[in-house]
Amino acid sequence: MKMDFKRGILLKIAYPLLMLMGSIFPGRKEALQALVIKINNRLVLNLRISTKRLLLLMPHCLQVDKCVIRLTHNVRNCKQCGKCGIKDLIGISDRTGIELFVASGGNLARRIVEDARPEAIIAVACERDLSSGIADVYPMPVYGVPNERPCGPCLNTRVDISKVEEAIALFSTGTSGP
């Protein structure tokens, strides 16, 4: 696993300081978290990692709240009704051979990462969970894709599937992207 000095400074020094600033100015906290994700993504892409040992890590809130199927233990339990983006993510996983997991929180996400032992992660979550998760698993390279929250936080969130596919392509070719 590549250690990256700049990411280390960002995630272990700047990020905690920015979150301290965010507690002083709460209205700016999410924007600061988004900034950390954006800078981290650029630094991860600059590592030019080319690997097929990726992990797709998704939040449970992508699953529609009316669904009775529990996906956190096995995403393949999904009935693929199409009411949420999980069906599309399973399709991506099937086409690419990349492992797909759904986590209900940080502890489960860390356990999934530990068990799967990927070379890099493509993670989807809200800015808060994404920024803290990226910092938690450093030096593991994580490319973060913030979710969309049309119903508010933690409820029926969405992900732009094309952004997930773009991230996979960037890791597959080892290019630095846009």
Side-chain angles (χ1 to χ4, degrees):
M1 185 176 333
K2 290 184 178 180
M3 282 285 270
D4 180 39
F5 182 72
K6 291 177 186 175
R7 283 185 65 238
I9 296 294
L10 171 69
L11 299 172
K12 297 303 178 185
I13 297 172
Y15 175 67
L17 291 173
L18 289 169
M19 291 308 93
L20 178 62
M21 252 178 55
S23 64
I24 296 168
F25 304 103
R28 301 288 304 149
K29 193 168 192 171
E30 189 173 303
L32 294 170
Q33 291 162 335
L35 177 65
V36 167
I37 295 163
K38 184 177 180 176
I39 294 169
N40 170 76
N41 286 353
R42 186 159 313 275
L43 294 172
V44 166
L45 293 176
N46 286 341
L47 293 174
R48 298 184 184 276
I49 298 165
S50 181
T51 183
K52 290 286 186 191
R53 285 194 41 220
L54 286 171
L55 171 68
L56 295 175
L57 189 56
M58 304 295 139
H60 70 98
C61 58
L62 285 179
Q63 186 178 12
V64 68
D65 67 327
K66 304 289 186 230
C67 187
V68 296
I69 307 297
R70 190 169 157 93
L71 299 180
T72 53
H73 294 293
N74 184 355
V75 74
R76 301 297 171 170
N77 289 336
C78 177
K79 298 300 181 197
Q80 300 196 26
C81 68
K83 293 180 183 173
C84 68
I86 299 295
K87 176 184 175 184
D88 296 328
L89 292 164
I90 290 172
I92 290 170
S93 175
D94 288 345
R95 279 192 313 279
T96 61
I98 298 171
E99 289 187 275
L100 169 66
F101 289 94
V102 172
S104 57
N107 288 333
L108 180 57
R110 282 185 286 281
R111 191 171 85 213
I112 289 167
V113 169
E114 189 175 303
D115 291 347
R117 304 175 61 89
E119 290 180 359
I121 302 167
I122 298 170
V124 173
C126 61
E127 285 81 0
R128 182 194 63 170
D129 290 350
L130 207 47
S131 60
S132 66
I134 289 168
D136 285 349
V137 299
Y138 174 80
M140 173 70 65
V142 180
Y143 187 92
V145 179
N147 62 9
E148 300 164 1
R149 299 178 296 273
C151 300
C154 302
L155 181 66
N156 298 330
T157 64
R158 297 184 188 140
V159 62
D160 183 339
I161 297 296
S162 67
K163 290 182 181 178
V164 174
E165 291 174 323
E166 284 173 23
I168 291 169
L170 293 170
F171 278 112
S172 297
T173 61
T175 58
S176 60

